[in-house]
Amino acid sequence: MKKYRVGIIGATGMVGQRFATILENHPWFEVAALAASARSAGKTYKDAVGSHWLMTVPMPAKMENMVVLNAEEDVKKVADCCDFVFCAVNMKKDEIKALEELYAKAECPVMSNNSANRGTPDVPMIIPEINSDHAQVIEAQRKRLGTKRGFISVKSNCSLQSYVPAIHPLMELGVTKVLACTYQAISGAGKTFATWPEMVDNVIPFIGGEEEKSENEPLKIWGHIENGQIVNASTPSITSQCLRVPVSDGHTAAVFASFEKKAEMEEIIARWENYKGEPQKLGLPSAPKQFLHYFRDDDRPQSRLDRNLENGMAVSIGRLRPDTQYDIKFVCLSHNTLRGAAGGAVLMAELLCAKGYID
């Protein structure tokens, strides 16, 4: 595999910092450019971040003195030195959509962590183990954009990446309805306990826009390509409730589901434990060896114990049992800034490189 030169757009934010740490020793990807807002542009990465480094590991030494470029004004400069970019910016949705298209039209593919293009019909929203085939819509997107190399691919919202992977191996049973209550870590809001002391000993029962994403985005993931667009699936019916809880990292979900076909509990567990996606088959660098881990202990998974399973890229499941209103209920967990954000985008990029979409 060739070495790809990559850029991080939005490098100073929490997800951008996570990208930096993940990519520091990546076997395929080498960071060639860092870009952020005009406020950070022209400074070294170390000076631009200053005291706001939020990771528990040090800033990569080889990035400390890289000069941060202007994400909006230096598009050509970034595109000229990078094979593709990761994008995680804090801007209005219409501005993000325009910015990502600028990079794509500059023939620089975009691996987006933002929500702005998730609803765009010819932009694939990929969880690599679930819908890798949606990459095929890139050809139609390139025709719309008038590009040869450039395109946008997005990862889904972090809130649903704990439970959608657990539901997916059960789809053959005819999933009819899902109720998912998510208990989401403060890092999902780009915060730590030091920067958000109000979250200590507190639960907030509202996260703006999160429930709509949790209910709608899975239907795109389970959709199909038709006439150069992704058509959303019509089932299952999904309802969700999303709460912010005093946990640093790791989104937990309590899930209830019903099916057309009945299955024994052991069959469901076997479907989870035996499931492999395209990343496992291809042996991608960031892919967990086992995507889904089922715990038989009554008190697992736990965010503190299990969020970093397989470098934070695996999904943990537990407490499967029958339910009186639905057919089954269970609990699951994923690391929201690894599997749910930067790590998921890196895995998506690895998949697209391995499939030849980024030449």
Side-chain angles (χ1 to χ4, degrees):
M1 180 64 66
K2 65 174 273 190
K3 197 83 169 179
Y4 294 85
R5 293 170 61 81
V6 307
I8 304 173
I9 311 302
T12 57
M14 177 176 274
V15 176
Q17 292 176 26
R18 180 69 78 178
F19 274 123
T21 61
I22 292 174
L23 296 170
E24 181 180 12
N25 297 305
H26 195 282
W28 294 4
F29 306 150
E30 179 183 0
V31 176
L34 301 171
S37 67
R39 184 176 62 254
S40 298
K43 300 177 182 177
T44 64
Y45 190 38
K46 186 176 182 178
D47 288 343
V49 173
S51 61
H52 299 291
W53 181 254
L54 302 173
M55 300 294 103
T56 57
V57 296
M59 178 182 288
K62 56 188 175 184
M63 298 182 204
E64 286 184 355
N65 294 315
M66 289 181 65
V67 176
V68 177
L69 299 174
N70 188 310
E72 295 179 87
E73 295 180 2
D74 294 327
V75 173
K76 186 178 185 306
K77 188 179 292 187
V78 173
D80 285 348
C81 71
C82 295
D83 294 306
F84 66 91
V85 295
F86 295 101
C87 187
V89 294
N90 184 17
M91 299 165 62
K92 295 178 181 178
K93 281 194 175 182
D94 57 342
E95 295 173 345
I96 294 172
K97 195 167 186 177
L99 182 67
E100 291 182 343
E101 285 204 3
L102 277 177
Y103 279 94
K105 289 179 177 178
E107 300 295 359
C108 186
V110 178
M111 307 294 114
S112 177
N113 192 75
N114 307 302
S115 64
N117 270 301
R118 288 182 192 152
T120 307
D122 60 7
V123 172
M125 181 168 60
I126 296 174
I127 297 179
E129 285 88 351
I130 294 177
N131 62 334
S132 61
D133 59 310
H134 281 195
Q136 296 170 26
V137 82
I138 288 171
E139 181 181 353
Q141 185 194 148
R142 281 172 168 161
K143 288 180 181 177
R144 173 176 65 85
L145 295 175
T147 60
K148 293 180 179 179
R149 287 189 76 250
F151 66 89
I152 302 162
S153 185
V154 301
K155 55 157 293 299
S156 62
N157 186 264
C158 57
S159 65
L160 58 90
Q161 295 202 43
S162 55
Y163 67 87
V164 167
I167 292 289
H168 184 69
L170 311 180
M171 292 293 280
E172 291 178 354
L173 300 173
V175 183
T176 56
K177 58 180 181 177
V178 173
L179 164 63
C181 295
T182 61
Y183 305 89
Q184 301 183 206
I186 62 173
S187 55
K191 304 285 189 178
T192 65
F193 287 116
T195 61
W196 200 4
E198 296 85 359
M199 273 307 302
V200 176
D201 193 30
N202 194 19
V203 171
I204 298 177
F206 174 72
I207 306 172
E210 206 76 357
E211 286 155 5
E212 294 83 356
K213 294 171 187 174
S214 296
E215 293 170 359
N216 295 323
E217 289 185 15
L219 299 179
K220 182 173 183 179
I221 291 165
W222 286 320
H224 66 278
I225 297 173
E226 186 177 313
N227 298 322
Q229 296 188 340
I230 298 169
V231 178
N232 285 11
S234 57
T235 57
S237 173
I238 304 172
T239 186
S240 71
Q241 185 144 280
C242 301
L243 295 84
R244 188 73 70 192
V245 296
V247 172
S248 58
D249 292 301
H251 287 356
T252 299
V255 185
F256 303 76
S258 290
F259 310 96
E260 293 174 356
K261 303 174 185 177
K262 300 297 181 184
E264 297 296 325
M265 298 297 116
E266 287 301 323
E267 179 191 340
I268 291 173
I269 293 171
R271 285 175 178 267
W272 285 332
E273 291 181 336
N274 295 325
Y275 184 80
K276 293 184 184 298
E278 198 69 5
Q280 286 72 41
K281 295 172 185 175
L282 294 171
L284 299 179
S286 297
K289 293 290 185 285
Q290 185 170 331
F291 181 35
L292 307 173
H293 291 249
Y294 185 76
F295 289 90
R296 295 180 182 270
D297 305 15
D298 287 340
D299 61 352
R300 303 284 287 277
Q302 294 181 27
S303 55
R304 182 180 288 187
L305 297 179
D306 303 313
R307 60 192 170 204
N308 290 314
L309 190 63
E310 298 213 41
N311 297 314
M313 292 298 289
V315 175
S316 303
I317 311 169
R319 299 208 67 213
L320 173 67
R321 59 218 190 273
D323 183 64
T324 58
Q325 307 299 313
Y326 289 72
D327 290 335
I328 64 169
K329 54 189 172 185
F330 57 91
V331 176
C332 41
L333 165 76
S334 66
H335 196 302
N336 55 295
T337 67
L338 289 170
R339 165 57 70 169
V346 170
L347 184 60
M348 177 174 68
E350 292 170 1
L351 174 75
L352 295 174
C353 287
K355 292 289 189 179
Y357 287 97
I358 305 174
D359 52 33

